[in-house]
Amino acid sequence: MIEIAAYALHEANGPLTPFRLQRRDPGVNDIVVDILYCGICHSDLLSAHDGLKRSIFPMVPGHEIVGRVARVGSGVSKHRVGELVGIGCIIDSCRTCAPCREHDEHYCVERFTSSFNGRERGTGNPTYGGYSQTYVIDENYAVKIPAGLDPAAAAPLLCGGITTYRPLRRFFDSRDGNGRGLRVGVIGLGGLGHLAIKFAKAFGADPVMLTSSPNKVGDAQKLGAVDVILTSDAAQMTKAMGSLDFILDTVSAPHDPNAYMSLLKRGATMCLVGMPEQPLVVQPMSLVWGDKALSGSLIGGIQATQDMLNFCAEHGIAADIEMIAIQDVNDAWARMERNDVKYRFVIDMATLKG
Ligand code: NAP
Ligand code: ZN
């Protein structure tokens, strides 16, 4: 076994404190990854609150992991010692069901194994995430960080990036593969939202930012939004009615989706990626009036994650980050709860000693 240092919380909503854990010795197909950086996603907080009622404690969060391969098993062919790799939410799946065969491992019928707050296939042991020094993972579930991407700013791409890239890519693929002439709304300028604006722009679309925060208007423009709508301003919302070809909703808190759906053009879709802990109330007329659709999307498969990283390297896309030491992680979580992050915290794992 490999004993390492980590940060864990021991009960729902408890503080993160130093913790020691053991990783398995690498099997034939495993790689051992020394973790360099780990992003802080709002879903870490969702699990810490036990928002999905299946949290396992002690919990070591973290699923936006970038590290360097330190050792490889004898059967490993995809990765080499010294290479930079990424680990996202998925570390295993059944590999035989239709979604797995179609590279949608995140929809594995047996449920994918989550990189944290999950249970390993076979042993049933809890999985511990990236707020730790080392990860041991099957080589097929790690992706390569392309040359040219800053490894720290790439970490949030492993969840925030793929979660926004996948539904946007699917939308643009349904419209000639690019976004030219399409107005794409993004609700919520946070970790996911700021990446969504960058992706929509890189696909050639006209991104429209919908934010509840007046102090983010200037940033949204700098990120590439052609228009910024302050959602608390009724006049701005009314003016934008029926103007958007697609909306990606990244909001983490309870909100009224009906006001946003009125901004869609006839026949258009609003896709949820945000996961508020309470139900959203949808008025039938919001869908019925104008052939509108409400959809959802969960992260993305391993191959799509690699495609997204390659796309980011090609288009110079990475997250805007605030780097923190692991000792400041509780403060960072509290700031994220208060909507006070521009736009992703990344933990420098070199600060985790012992
Ligand atoms: P984040 O950085 O905290 O951003 C969330 C944004 O939501 C905020 O920046 C804010 O944008 C907006 N917001 C917050 N409170 C609000 C309120 N009361 N009313 C309206 N808007 C509010 O979070 P994140 O990491 O981007 O994650 C966003 C959501 O996606 C979370 O629910 C997370 O769990 C979920 N998620 C889902 C997946 C998936 O696979 N589907 C993957 C990762 C994360 P403004 O200030 O601009 O309004
Ligand atoms: Zn996440």
Side-chain angles (χ1 to χ4, degrees), residues 12-47:
N13 304 312
L16 287 149
T17 53
F19 180 66
R20 295 199 72 79
L21 65 89
Q22 297 198 319
R23 299 285 188 200
R24 66 174 184 261
D25 288 319
V28 178
N29 299 314
D30 286 337
I31 59 175
V32 180
V33 178
D34 286 342
I35 301 176
L36 299 172
Y37 301 105
C38 186
I40 299 181
C41 173
H42 213 110
S43 298
D44 291 341
L45 274 59
L46 181 68
S47 301

Side-chain angles (χ1 to χ4, degrees), residues 41-43 159 163 188-192 211-213 216 250-253 273-275 297-299 336 339 344:
C41 173
H42 213 110
S43 298
C159 174
T163 300
L189 183 42
L192 267 56
T211 180
S212 66
S213 303
K216 295 183 185 173
T250 78
V251 175
S252 55
V273 287
M275 296 193 294
S297 182
L298 184 75
I299 45 174
M336 198 168 197
N339 195 5
R344 199 55 139 190

Side-chain angles (χ1 to χ4, degrees), residues 90-154:
I90 309 167
I91 57 161
D92 205 355
S93 62
C94 85
R95 308 176 195 211
T96 56
C97 69
C100 280
R101 280 185 277 116
E102 291 162 15
H103 306 290
D104 275 344
E105 298 90 352
H106 52 303
Y107 296 134
C108 173
V109 297
E110 293 185 11
R111 277 185 181 247
F112 71 89
T113 308
S114 172
S115 48
F116 83 104
N117 193 33
R119 294 207 177 268
E120 280 182 359
R121 295 178 68 77
T123 67
N125 291 335
T127 59
Y128 295 120
Y131 296 9
S132 63
Q133 291 178 309
T134 305
Y135 213 98
V136 179
I137 184 173
D138 183 304
E139 64 161 342
N140 294 300
Y141 291 81
V143 288
K144 292 177 192 294
I145 304 297
L149 277 185
D150 175 68

Side-chain angles (χ1 to χ4, degrees), residues 13-326:
N13 304 312
L16 287 149
T17 53
F19 180 66
R20 295 199 72 79
L21 65 89
Q22 297 198 319
R23 299 285 188 200
R24 66 174 184 261
D25 288 319
V28 178
N29 299 314
D30 286 337
I31 59 175
V32 180
V33 178
D34 286 342
I35 301 176
L36 299 172
Y37 301 105
C38 186
I40 299 181
C41 173
H42 213 110
S43 298
D44 291 341
L45 274 59
L46 181 68
S47 301
H49 297 158
D50 199 8
L52 301 177
K53 301 288 172 239
R54 53 164 193 260
S55 291
I56 304 165
F57 298 99
M59 179 193 297
V60 176
H63 55 276
E64 295 185 333
I65 300 164
V66 167
R68 204 172 284 287
V69 179
R71 280 160 67 190
V72 298
S74 58
V76 167
S77 59
K78 293 188 175 147
H79 302 288
R80 293 198 184 136
V81 170
E83 190 178 273
L84 276 179
V85 292
I87 301 168
C89 299
I90 309 167
I91 57 161
D92 205 355
S93 62
C94 85
R95 308 176 195 211
T96 56
C97 69
C100 280
R101 280 185 277 116
E102 291 162 15
H103 306 290
D104 275 344
E105 298 90 352
H106 52 303
Y107 296 134
C108 173
V109 297
E110 293 185 11
R111 277 185 181 247
F112 71 89
T113 308
S114 172
S115 48
F116 83 104
N117 193 33
R119 294 207 177 268
E120 280 182 359
R121 295 178 68 77
T123 67
N125 291 335
T127 59
Y128 295 120
Y131 296 9
S132 63
Q133 291 178 309
T134 305
Y135 213 98
V136 179
I137 184 173
D138 183 304
E139 64 161 342
N140 294 300
Y141 291 81
V143 288
K144 292 177 192 294
I145 304 297
L149 277 185
D150 175 68
L157 301 173
L158 275 309
C159 174
I162 183 60
T163 300
T164 49
Y165 175 86
R166 180 177 185 271
L168 289 171
R169 167 113 248 173
R170 282 159 65 89
F171 169 62
F172 294 129
D173 281 351
S174 73
R175 304 285 190 98
D176 299 334
N178 71 63
R180 262 193 297 283
L182 297 172
R183 286 173 71 81
V184 170
V186 175
I187 318 176
L189 183 42
L192 267 56
H194 90 292
L195 290 168
I197 291 286
K198 294 184 188 200
F199 284 132
K201 190 163 180 66
F203 279 112
D206 291 331
V208 176
M209 186 74 235
L210 294 139
T211 180
S212 66
S213 303
N215 67 339
K216 295 183 185 173
V217 171
D219 283 358
Q221 286 161 339
K222 280 190 214 136
L223 287 164
V226 296
D227 279 320
V228 185
I229 297 168
L230 200 52
T231 52
S232 56
D233 184 330
Q236 290 185 36
M237 290 290 280
T238 304
K239 193 170 157 225
M241 276 173 78
S243 68
L244 300 178
D245 294 281
F246 184 76
I247 296 178
L248 194 67
D249 181 348
T250 78
V251 175
S252 55
H255 59 286
D256 174 13
N258 301 286
Y260 301 115
M261 296 195 67
S262 70
L263 307 186
L264 290 170
K265 288 183 182 170
R266 182 169 55 89
T269 295
M270 177 160 111
C271 177
L272 292 184
V273 287
M275 296 193 294
E277 292 177 32
Q278 289 80 26
L280 299 181
V281 178
V282 178
Q283 300 296 344
M285 271 310 226
S286 298
L287 295 170
V288 169
W289 193 279
D291 294 343
K292 291 174 185 172
L294 184 62
S295 70
S297 182
L298 184 75
I299 45 174
I302 301 299
Q303 192 175 48
T305 303
Q306 188 67 63
D307 290 348
M308 176 274 307
L309 288 168
N310 297 346
F311 182 91
C312 287
E314 194 183 323
H315 293 270
I317 294 174
D320 295 3
I321 63 167
E322 179 176 338
M323 191 94 83
I324 62 157
I326 188 81

